[in-house]
Amino acid sequence: MGTPSQNRRRWIVLVIALLVTTVFSPQACLFGVENNNPAKAVSQYLLPKKSSKKVETDLVVSSQTPKQTGGNSLQPARFGITRKDFDAIRTTVSGIRIAVPIRAFNQRATYGEADLDLTVVGTADSLTEIEDIPLAEGRFLTEEDVSKMNNVAVISKDVAQRMFNGKKPIGKNIKIQKDYFIIVGVTESNGPDLKDTSSTSPKVFIPITTMQARFGDNSIKRKSGSFEMQTYELSEVRCAVEDKKQMSKTMATIERLLSKNHKTEDYSIDLSK
C-alpha cells in the first residue's frame, strides 16, 4: 500500500504522465500547427491518402488580371483565384480527383556572391502526383514541409548549375528576399509551364504555406521598364478529374461556383495543354 506521502507521489507521477501524453500527442501537435498557420487552415492543402495510380493534370483554373482592377500603386486591388476557391473546388466539385494549389512570382535569389532571376513556385507535395517532375538528387516537398511551413526549397537543375558552380547544392541555403531556404532537392527540368512565366525560366519550389507566411499575397511585376504591384492569393489550381468523359460538366460546375464569388471575370478555366 505504501505511506500517504508515497501514494501522493505516485498520483503526481501519473497525472504528469497523462498531461505529457495529451499535450504532446500527434493530434495536439497538428492542432497547434493549424491554429498558428496564417492561412488559417493548413489542412486544406493536405490531401487524402495518395492514390497509387498515376494521374495527370486535366484542367487548369488560373487567375487573370482584370482590365480594370480598381486599385492603385499604393493599394492594389485583389484579384484572381483565392484559397477559398481552391478549398471549394477540392471539396465540393464532384469529379475532381486531385486539386493542387500554385502561387508563382518572379524574384531574384542569392547564394553567396551569385544571384539569379527565377520563378518562385509555392505549391504542395501533391504536385508530383499530376505533373512529371523527375529529380536529379534529393527529394521534393513533403506533407510535413507544408503542414509545418518549413523553409525548404527544391531547385531546378539550371539553378544548381548557374548558382553553385559545380558545388553540391543539397543542404546549402538560398536567399529569397530576406528569408533563407535550405535546399532539399534538385529537379531535372524546370517543371510545368506556368502562366506569365517562361517555360525556360529557372524555378525554385517552396511549400505554399511557407510562401504565404514569408511573402504574403503581394507581388511586384515588371512591366515595360516599370513595376506594378499585384495582389492575388493563388496563380492557379491544377486539377485531375475522375472521368474525362464528364470534363465539360466538371468545368461548368467550377464556372458556376466561381461566378458566385467573383464580381469580375478574373479567372479562366482551361483544358491542360
Side-chain angles (χ1 to χ4, degrees), residues 90-151:
R90 182 179 67 92
T91 58
T92 68
V93 178
S94 61
I96 295 294
R97 183 170 184 170
I98 298 176
V100 182
I102 293 175
R103 187 177 191 277
F105 63 89
N106 297 318
Q107 185 64 48
R108 178 163 295 182
T110 60
Y111 171 75
E113 298 298 317
D115 59 49
L116 182 66
D117 289 327
L118 44 70
T119 300
V120 184
V121 182
T123 189
D125 56 297
S126 50
L127 181 63
T128 55
E129 285 194 68
I130 60 175
E131 296 291 345
D132 186 23
I133 308 178
L135 290 168
E137 57 180 310
R139 64 171 177 82
F140 197 68
L141 305 175
T142 66
E143 187 175 291
E144 182 177 358
D145 292 331
V146 177
S147 66
K148 293 186 176 181
M149 296 180 286
N150 290 337
N151 271 41

Side-chain angles (χ1 to χ4, degrees), residues 201-246:
S201 172
K203 291 185 177 70
V204 54
F205 300 87
I206 66 175
I208 193 165
T209 47
T210 308
M211 173 175 280
Q212 188 192 353
R214 306 292 180 262
F215 306 117
D217 295 331
N218 292 330
S219 295
I220 297 177
K221 183 178 181 180
R222 296 177 184 178
K223 188 176 181 181
S224 302
S226 62
F227 296 90
E228 177 186 4
M229 179 71 79
Q230 296 184 334
T231 302
Y232 57 95
E233 294 183 13
L234 296 176
S235 302
E236 59 185 56
V237 175
R238 299 203 160 210
C239 305
V241 302
E242 293 283 1
D243 185 357
K244 297 183 189 299
K245 295 179 181 178
Q246 299 295 319

Side-chain angles (χ1 to χ4, degrees), residues 183-200:
I183 297 170
V184 296
V186 179
T187 64
E188 283 284 1
S189 67
N190 288 317
D193 292 345
L194 303 173
K195 179 179 168 54
D196 293 333
T197 65
S198 168
S199 60
T200 59

Side-chain angles (χ1 to χ4, degrees), residues 2-101:
T3 65
S5 61
Q6 289 174 329
N7 290 332
R8 216 168 18 248
R9 282 196 293 273
R10 290 194 187 99
W11 276 109
I12 291 172
V13 170
L14 286 171
V15 169
I16 291 174
L18 179 61
L19 287 172
V20 169
T21 302
T22 302
V23 172
F24 293 100
S25 68
Q27 291 84 356
C29 290
L30 179 58
F31 179 79
V33 169
E34 288 183 5
N35 280 275
N36 287 325
N37 177 21
K40 298 182 181 179
V42 168
S43 60
Q44 69 177 321
Y45 297 120
L46 304 182
L47 302 175
K49 189 174 181 181
K50 297 176 181 178
S51 168
S52 58
K53 184 179 179 181
K54 183 67 177 177
V55 295
E56 60 184 18
T57 299
D58 297 306
L59 300 174
V60 180
V61 185
S62 306
S63 292
Q64 300 283 344
T65 307
K67 294 180 180 179
Q68 184 61 44
T69 60
N72 55 61
S73 59
L74 297 178
Q75 189 61 46
R78 302 183 74 90
F79 69 90
I81 303 302
T82 66
R83 287 176 285 274
K84 182 178 178 181
D85 293 331
F86 164 71
D87 200 36
I89 292 170
R90 182 179 67 92
T91 58
T92 68
V93 178
S94 61
I96 295 294
R97 183 170 184 170
I98 298 176
V100 182

Side-chain angles (χ1 to χ4, degrees), residues 166-178:
K167 299 177 182 177
K168 287 287 186 182
I170 300 294
K172 304 290 195 307
N173 287 291
I174 190 172
K175 186 178 181 182
I176 304 172
Q177 292 187 10
K178 60 182 178 61

